[in-house]
Amino acid sequence: MTDLAAQVTAALERGILPSVIARGGAVRVAAVGGGVVTLEVTGSPGAVYPLAARIEAVIRAAVPGITAVRLAAPGTGPAGPGTGPTGPGTGPAALGAGPAAPGTVPAAPRTRPAGPAPEGGEDLAEPTHEGGEDLADAARRIIDAEVNPAIAAHRGRVTVTGASQGWLRIRLDGGCQGCSLAEVTIRQGIEPLLRARLPAITGLIDVTDHEAGTDPFFSPEKR
């Protein structure tokens, strides 16, 4: 490992890896050259895409020799499809399906190319599923039938707020809003369930305002 790669790895371990691992993902340095670092991402895409801007900011602040950060799925390599640099105006690179790292959530097969996690705006057209449902409706049906009855004991509820480019936005209410185990519930429970049932899902984005939670089942102090 080069000195530059070692510096990037150290920066990831200090400021990024704990959050990524807790979300069900993994990331490692795949290549460094010309001021560009390529990170190989495995596990849950939803564990990494929402953190893409933070990852680049942490690395560039810690390692001045780095000018750009690329995200790549296993096997695509530094110049693989969809591994453009993250940064203003570009968004995170697309992840392809690949083998998951040990202990992470395996990626579900995709039915179309993945894209960067949307940050807002109108939902784009999503593929239809059984009975003509769109992606959001199909996810709502599964969540209402299998997830919400289970978390009702914790005074919680999950609501699907929309879907765009394969990314499903969810909001946690009641005892799940502000709960210290909310991220574990999403990345180790809800997300793998939905990706197994609905291969068109790229990942989940939690849009919950957890800071506003007034009655979490497990308080943040118990983390």
Side-chain angles (χ1 to χ4, degrees):
M1 180 182 293
T2 66
D3 288 344
L4 206 57
Q7 292 178 50
V8 173
T9 298
L12 287 172
E13 291 175 347
R14 287 194 305 267
I16 297 297
L17 277 181
S19 295
V20 171
I21 292 172
R23 292 166 174 255
V27 60
R28 72 173 186 87
V29 177
V32 179
V36 178
V37 59
T38 299
L39 303 178
E40 181 181 274
V41 182
T42 53
S44 166
V48 180
Y49 277 155
L51 301 177
R54 177 184 165 193
I55 290 172
E56 180 166 23
V58 166
I59 292 175
R60 294 181 66 177
V63 188
I66 297 299
T67 58
V69 177
R70 291 174 174 153
L71 304 181
T76 60
T83 57
T86 62
T90 61
L95 291 179
T104 63
V105 179
R110 290 210 175 87
T111 57
R112 58 188 174 80
E119 297 181 358
E122 296 183 6
D123 291 348
L124 301 181
E126 296 293 332
T128 56
H129 300 270
E130 184 178 351
E133 295 175 303
D134 64 17
L135 188 59
D137 286 339
R140 286 188 189 99
R141 175 173 51 80
I142 294 171
I143 287 175
D144 287 343
E146 302 183 38
V147 176
N148 282 331
I151 64 175
H154 291 187
R155 308 185 305 277
R157 179 174 178 80
V158 178
T159 299
V160 175
T161 64
S164 180
Q165 303 176 55
W167 289 88
L168 191 73
R169 295 190 298 277
I170 62 171
R171 186 184 70 245
L172 277 61
D173 299 313
C176 292
Q177 184 181 11
C179 178
S180 61
L181 294 181
E183 190 67 29
V184 175
T185 299
I186 293 172
R187 302 305 169 195
Q188 298 183 20
I190 301 171
E191 185 172 48
L193 169 68
L194 291 177
R195 292 179 69 202
R197 300 287 187 84
L198 303 172
I201 287 182
T202 299
L204 268 60
I205 299 174
D206 181 11
V207 299
T208 309
D209 181 0
H210 285 288
E211 296 296 325
T214 58
D215 189 25
F217 190 77
F218 288 107
S219 64
E221 289 76 15
K222 295 182 180 180
R223 290 181 180 177

